[in-house]
Amino acid sequence: MATTTHAPQQDGATERYDVVIIGAGVSGMYALHHLRGMGLSVRAYDGAPTVGGTWWHNRYPGARVDGPSAPLYGYTFSAELVKEWDWTETQSSQGEVLAYLEHVADRFDLRRDIQLETWVEDARYDEATQRWTVDTSTGLCVSARFLVCAVGALSTPNAPDLPGIDDFEGECVHTGSWPQEPVSFAGKRVGVIGTGSSGIQAIPEIAKEALHVTVFQRTPQYTVPARNRPLAPEELAAVRDNWGDVRAGMLAPPPPDAPLPMMQGNGRSAFDETPEQRQALYEALWEQGTLAFVFGNYGELLVNEEINREVCAFLQGKIREIVRDPETADKLMPDHFYGTKRPILDDGYYDTYNRENVTLVDLRQDPIEGMTQVGVRTATGEHPIDVLVLATGFDAISGSMLRLDPRGRGGARLKEKWKSHFHSYLGLMVSDFPNLFMIHGPGTPGVLYLMPLGAELETEWIANCIRHMHEQGMGAVEATHEAELDWDREVNAIANRTLFPKTDSWYTGANIEGKPRHFAVHLGGSGYFHRIAEIADEGYEGLVFHAGPPRNG
Ligand code: NAP
């Protein structure tokens, strides 16, 4: 199938490939490996100076995964890779994940087909040639039959519009685009805006080093102890020795009677147990820490208000137990349904507010008015700071595709198409954008499944679709408008059985002013992957294939 050439083309492109991949993070790297393995000519571009995507950009203090590193936060496609990489902690640090991804890049010889420090600035489809033309920040213009957007679900940082920010004379950093040089907090007054996963991981670490930390909190959060620890060799061996079964378990379809496919819980119903038994479970899960607090909980947790409220009350009790100053504890008290914002794990977060050098500002009572030369000005006064840390998250799920804003058939712009709703088919394709595929796009389980395994399975679906086209002599494929609407209904039907849509979160786009509000994550868990495989097996319902490629295409 390979058609690579390096001669200048009539469309201005200097290089031609079967596939261009945008992004060399977890998804882009696997897409390169897999599609290249099919004999396609593939080239990946990434703006960063190395591979790793998210794990390169998010180098803030305390950054680490929150699922068990082995086996859940690693690729699954190679048993040899599983055997040879020694994860050292139950929840790997950012540095270790990045080292792992660097190893994968070398181990599978990916670097020769990745061009780093190269942003894709424009991508446009030409219906006559059935090809994409891609312009990059280095001036390179390339042409490809397929465009695979592995741009990340959490990779476009969201920075608040702070009046006077240009006057601020201190340093300002964002957790999602952390500077390459280490940031020193020693002897400094630090302000942190944001208390999501990133802020909650970073604040305790910064507080250990800084002279003073002022946390500016808009929405209080529930968080559960991470209880990260060294990974025992026998735990790693148990994964390796039973790798076939472990992987099969990760792929197993959810039981049909699960209250929510993505979260089956511990298999027990909360309603079959006494209040005392339920409290005992919550206490045991708190002691255990980790995401077991969600996945080892009752299956009703994310679908039943009464049970969720009980869990919230349990966690609120923990905050009161840990935080000594009752006023600060009050400010830290969340009031949304637990788990409907991304569950968070921490290492001493609530306890950090017992430190003398940490102050909490509740922005709901005392909103930020702007920046001055020397600090943050809120309604009640000025907070002098030397370093401002923005832990303010991302324009999630759709943000990086919108930043790319590809142009489809007839110049159709994605920004225009997604002005009021992020329509996609299977989360993988968008109508009017032939031969464009997304990994972890809106409408996939994305961040609510295992990211590396999800990337593998989505890539393999895309690869099978390309293989099918090749076998059928087809030049272009795209989703129909009707299929997109049906998919949207399916995504919403699952979400509406849960408590997720009841909370403002980045799942619903509520964290970005002016962003369309709707729930854009498929909550089918592994069931999603069975569903898309079935659609492929049954002849790709919802897709239209166009004959081709044209001569010399
Ligand atoms: P986030 O969850 O969106 O949190 C952003 C925080 O900034 C929220 O507290 C938000 O308040 C606040 N904020 C945003 N704009 C603000 C403004 N203008 N003024 C004041 N406060 C503002 O972002 P994140 O913490 O970077 O995490 C994003 C996701 O990345 C996580 O949910 C998770 O999926 C992933 N992540 C994972 C890990 C891990 O695996 N351990 C670590 C970090 C991140 P509101 O809640 O009011 O919007």
Side-chain angles (χ1 to χ4, degrees), residues 227-245:
R227 311 226 191 269
N228 176 46
R229 57 175 175 76
L231 192 61
E234 52 276 18
E235 290 175 284
L236 207 45
V239 170
R240 288 170 172 164
D241 296 347
N242 301 297
W243 179 237
D245 291 344

Side-chain angles (χ1 to χ4, degrees), residues 54-55 58 60 62-67 73 91-92 154 158-162 174-176 193-201 216-221 291 336 341-345 363-364 368 390-396 447-448 504-507 510-513:
T54 286
W55 294 101
N58 287 262
Y60 59 85
R64 60 176 65 248
V65 302
D66 56 10
Y73 208 89
Q91 292 150 56
S92 306
L154 292 160
N158 164 47
D161 186 13
L162 296 170
H174 193 294
T175 49
I193 303 181
T195 52
S197 304
S198 306
I200 284 179
Q201 285 185 332
F216 299 92
Q217 170 196 268
R218 185 164 73 181
T219 306
Q221 270 280 12
L291 287 178
H336 55 276
K341 281 177 177 270
R342 172 67 149 70
I344 299 176
L345 301 182
L363 299 180
R364 293 172 305 180
I368 294 177
L390 299 174
T392 44
F394 301 90
D395 185 351
V447 287
L448 288 177
D504 281 349
S505 69
W506 57 256
Y507 299 142
N511 65 324
I512 304 288
E513 222 183 302

Side-chain angles (χ1 to χ4, degrees), residues 155-411:
S155 54
T156 298
N158 164 47
D161 186 13
L162 296 170
I165 184 75
D166 294 339
D167 301 332
F168 177 55
E169 288 172 351
E171 195 178 350
C172 180
V173 290
H174 193 294
T175 49
S177 52
W178 202 255
Q180 288 187 40
E181 313 72 42
V183 179
S184 167
F185 297 108
K188 293 188 181 157
R189 297 160 305 176
V190 181
V192 181
I193 303 181
T195 52
S197 304
S198 306
I200 284 179
Q201 285 185 332
I203 289 162
E205 294 305 311
I206 297 172
K208 286 178 200 162
E209 193 190 337
L211 181 66
H212 193 271
V213 177
T214 307
V215 177
F216 299 92
Q217 170 196 268
R218 185 164 73 181
T219 306
Q221 270 280 12
Y222 303 99
T223 159
V224 168
R227 311 226 191 269
N228 176 46
R229 57 175 175 76
L231 192 61
E234 52 276 18
E235 290 175 284
L236 207 45
V239 170
R240 288 170 172 164
D241 296 347
N242 301 297
W243 179 237
D245 291 344
V246 171
R247 188 168 193 270
M250 291 158 83
L251 294 167
D257 56 349
L260 173 61
M262 64 145 289
M263 210 298 266
Q264 299 140 42
N266 58 18
R268 287 157 28 205
S269 169
F271 296 106
D272 290 341
E273 305 207 347
T274 63
E276 293 72 28
Q277 286 171 319
R278 296 203 293 268
Q279 289 300 318
L281 175 73
Y282 306 147
E283 195 60 57
L285 292 175
W286 173 273
E287 279 314 307
Q288 186 179 345
T290 73
L291 287 178
F293 196 83
V294 177
F295 293 100
N297 219 311
Y298 299 109
E300 290 95 352
L301 176 67
L302 299 175
V303 294
N304 182 282
E305 292 195 8
E306 186 187 336
I307 296 304
N308 194 291
R309 283 211 182 90
E310 188 173 86
V311 170
C312 292
F314 171 85
L315 291 171
Q316 288 161 355
K318 286 292 175 197
I319 299 172
R320 290 199 194 285
E321 252 173 65
I322 298 169
V323 180
R324 288 197 287 272
D325 173 37
E327 245 180 73
T328 306
D330 276 346
K331 289 185 199 168
L332 286 166
M333 215 49 68
D335 57 7
H336 55 276
F337 287 115
Y338 174 69
T340 54
K341 281 177 177 270
R342 172 67 149 70
I344 299 176
L345 301 182
D346 71 279
D347 185 10
Y349 176 69
Y350 294 131
D351 194 34
T352 296
Y353 293 96
N354 293 325
R355 295 178 69 108
E356 303 255 303
N357 69 335
V358 177
T359 310
L360 179 64
V361 176
D362 180 354
L363 299 180
R364 293 172 305 180
Q365 306 288 330
D366 186 10
I368 294 177
E369 293 184 340
M371 300 295 295
T372 66
Q373 280 177 317
V374 294
V376 177
R377 195 183 65 247
T378 63
T380 60
E382 188 175 64
H383 304 267
I385 54 170
D386 306 304
V387 184
L388 179 63
V389 175
L390 299 174
T392 44
F394 301 90
D395 185 351
I397 309 176
S398 51
S400 299
M401 283 303 297
L402 289 167
R403 182 166 61 171
L404 175 67
D405 193 19
R407 284 180 272 164
R409 181 189 309 101

